[in-house]
Amino acid sequence: MSSKAEAIIERLLGLHPKGFDLSLGRVTRLLDALGNPHLKMPPVIHVAGTNGKGSCVAFSRALLEAAGYTVHVHTSPHLVHWYERYRLGAPGGGKLVDDETFADVLTRVEEANAGQAITVFEILTAVTFVLFSEHPADAVILEVGLGGRFDATNVIPEPAVSVIMPISLDHQPYLGDRVELIAAEKAGIIKPGCPVVIGAQEEEAARMVLIETAERRDCPFAVYGQDFLAFEERGRMIYQDNTGLLDLPLPALLGRHQLSNAAAAIQAVKTAGFTLPDYAIETAMTTVEWPARMQRLIKGKLVELAVPGSEIWLDGGHNPGAGLVIAEAIASLEDRSPRPLFLITGMINTKDPIGYFEAFTGMARHVYTVPIRSSDSGIPHEQLAIAAGDAGLSAEPVHSVENALKILRDSWDKSEPAPRILIGGSLYLAGDVLAENGTPPQ
């Protein structure tokens, strides 16, 4: 990508520290210099969690747009291009920010910072608030970057609703090594008196921390499995809350976990005060899109290198909890259409590779481990292959996704059905794959 905004960001990355420095002081100072744009935005749906954040954001956007609302959306990280983080609301559906607008706001934010110490994520978060305050819309969907309590997005004093999606172990050096400690960090986005939606939690300890925080801060709250839920029945999704039942199409996003993600989004949008006609909820289930989350690749450069007829899936999930839900989705595909499963996996060094791979024990025939080109924090692919072996999988390191696809194609026994291939383990890897395949998010 050759753009003014990209050039500015690359320069900022050279000036300011990389990584995370969890604090609100720097971003608060910068926002004050900018006239506090975060206080001038439409109603905010603020979404935190370990897994399912992005899906909740995607469902929430689909619901609001299907109901005729305009909605700004902030997500992170991006997959291929920086501008993917900012979708500006517009009648008939939003659009990613254009380069001129993005570069202009980046320049103004950098000037307002006046060379003071700050992280690039904090600058980009300030850009979010400037963009969303200067363009009209009915709603803002704001995804937390890391944690919650000290994440740069957590300067919103009165969100329309705070949503906490499933919590599991991830980013332990920053958030803690027990799920209840991580839940306490995520619960930092819960503001006194503001509504809260608690998504499906596998860990009771996490669920109780979130409920206790909401009660302590005198917040009205709704809990998945208690106040709302969703389940599959006869090939349909049944959603239930205190207003009744809805019989809906299954979500376009694959996997049983997407039913609870969709339910959390429905509850969140309604809790935030938006009217959702039944037809809008039905439409949203079939139109929702979220790149690199069980995304099937059906065309592109890399697809052409695979065994003819291969079924190729891309998912950026990168922790043990994500591994479990991805494996479950793959298992449902296997029930309908059996194929040999192969993994092509790359991960960064803050993750738990053995925990991720264990979800696929007994399912995957072989794992090809690859380096991640876009990150200098990748686990060496030789080391990652050892981790896969420790989890009970057959594995070998190869130099690239392209290399893995070619090896598999050249050695394939044509008497077998074409393989099912899951490329995953990292959003960085997913972005690399979408870029190399020629199918970046639009």
Side-chain angles (χ1 to χ4, degrees):
M1 175 183 174
S2 176
S3 73
K4 293 180 182 178
E6 188 88 347
I8 294 170
I9 293 171
E10 290 303 317
R11 180 171 52 77
L12 290 172
L13 286 169
L15 292 174
H16 298 287
K18 294 182 180 180
F20 305 103
D21 186 4
L22 299 180
S23 168
L24 294 180
R26 293 177 301 274
V27 72
T28 300
R29 168 190 53 75
L30 176 55
L31 290 171
D32 187 59
L34 289 162
N36 292 309
H38 61 299
L39 304 180
K40 304 171 185 176
M41 298 194 302
V44 174
I45 298 172
H46 200 188
V47 184
T50 307
N51 298 308
K53 282 187 304 182
S55 295
C56 179
V57 167
F59 279 117
S60 298
R61 173 193 154 210
L63 288 161
L64 287 163
E65 290 185 343
Y69 296 104
T70 56
V71 53
H72 297 324
V73 183
H74 166 268
T75 57
S76 69
H78 60 280
L79 292 169
V80 180
H81 300 306
W82 288 94
Y83 58 70
E84 295 168 29
R85 297 176 180 231
Y86 312 98
R87 179 175 289 274
L88 297 179
K95 59 182 181 179
L96 299 180
V97 66
D98 64 83
D99 186 51
E100 286 292 333
T101 302
F102 191 12
D104 170 67
V105 175
L106 273 166
T107 300
R108 285 192 278 143
V109 170
E110 183 183 13
E111 290 174 352
N113 188 59
Q116 297 189 64
I118 201 162
T119 67
V120 173
F121 181 76
E122 289 164 341
I123 290 175
L124 293 174
T125 301
V127 167
T128 301
F129 298 141
V130 174
L131 282 170
F132 292 178
S133 68
E134 294 183 348
H135 293 80
D138 298 310
V140 167
I141 305 172
L142 185 65
E143 181 183 358
V144 169
L146 174 64
R149 184 165 59 112
F150 289 120
D151 184 76
T153 66
N154 198 30
V155 293
I156 305 300
E158 296 182 357
V161 63
S162 298
V163 188
I164 317 288
M165 297 301 287
I167 293 170
S168 62
L169 292 176
D170 200 8
H171 298 293
Q172 290 97 313
Y174 298 99
L175 304 179
D177 59 1
R178 301 199 312 275
V179 72
E180 58 268 33
L181 297 178
I182 296 175
E185 291 295 324
K186 308 286 186 184
I189 72 165
I190 296 174
K191 302 302 195 310
C194 296
V196 178
V197 169
I198 298 172
Q201 303 294 327
E202 291 190 9
E203 299 281 352
E204 181 64 14
R207 183 173 175 269
M208 291 312 300
V209 168
L210 300 176
I211 291 173
E212 289 166 3
T213 304
E215 289 177 336
R216 188 170 63 253
R217 296 179 183 172
D218 198 26
C219 300
F221 62 92
V223 181
Y224 184 85
Q226 173 181 304
D227 303 296
F228 67 98
L229 56 84
F231 55 91
E232 183 177 349
E233 185 175 274
R234 298 177 183 177
R236 301 276 291 177
M237 170 177 156
I238 307 301
Y239 169 82
Q240 181 177 0
D241 62 17
N242 57 13
T243 66
L245 291 169
L246 284 176
D247 183 355
L248 302 165
L250 288 176
L253 301 184
L254 185 69
R256 190 178 69 176
H257 61 292
Q258 295 296 0
L259 274 68
S260 57
N261 291 341
I266 295 169
Q267 182 68 29
V269 172
K270 293 170 70 173
T271 299
F274 296 96
T275 300
L276 287 181
D278 290 356
Y279 74 82
I281 302 176
E282 292 180 11
T283 299
M285 294 304 103
T286 59
T287 58
V288 62
E289 296 178 325
W290 193 229
R293 279 74 174 182
M294 285 305 292
Q295 176 184 357
R296 187 169 179 182
L297 302 181
I298 57 175
K299 63 180 180 179
K301 175 186 173 184
L302 291 176
V303 174
E304 293 171 1
L305 296 176
V307 176
S310 294
E311 187 178 291
I312 304 176
W313 297 89
L314 179 68
D315 195 289
H318 47 248
N319 55 50
L324 287 171
V325 296
I326 297 165
E328 185 178 74
I330 293 292
S332 69
L333 293 173
E334 178 68 11
D335 287 343
R336 296 198 294 268
S337 174
R339 292 172 181 253
L341 174 64
F342 291 79
L343 307 185
I344 302 175
T345 309
M347 301 187 80
I348 62 172
N349 58 22
T350 58
K351 306 305 174 185
D352 173 8
I354 296 176
Y356 175 86
F357 283 125
E358 282 176 342
F360 299 95
T361 302
M363 294 178 60
R365 180 179 295 186
H366 192 65
V367 182
Y368 298 99
T369 57
V370 297
I372 300 176
R373 295 175 178 173
S374 60
S375 174
D376 55 8
S377 300
I379 298 174
H381 56 307
E382 299 91 349
Q383 182 180 331
L384 192 58
I386 294 171
D390 290 342
L393 298 173
S394 166
E396 67 178 292
V398 298
H399 296 301
S400 66
V401 172
E402 178 179 345
N403 188 211
L405 292 170
K406 287 180 177 178
I407 291 171
L408 189 56
R409 181 193 63 195
D410 293 344
S411 61
W412 193 250
D413 181 351
K414 294 182 181 178
S415 67
E416 289 197 273
R420 177 171 289 122
I421 302 168
L422 172 66
I423 307 173
S426 168
L427 286 170
Y428 290 102
L429 178 65
D432 291 347
V433 167
L434 290 173
E436 188 173 355
N437 195 49
T439 52
Q442 300 297 321

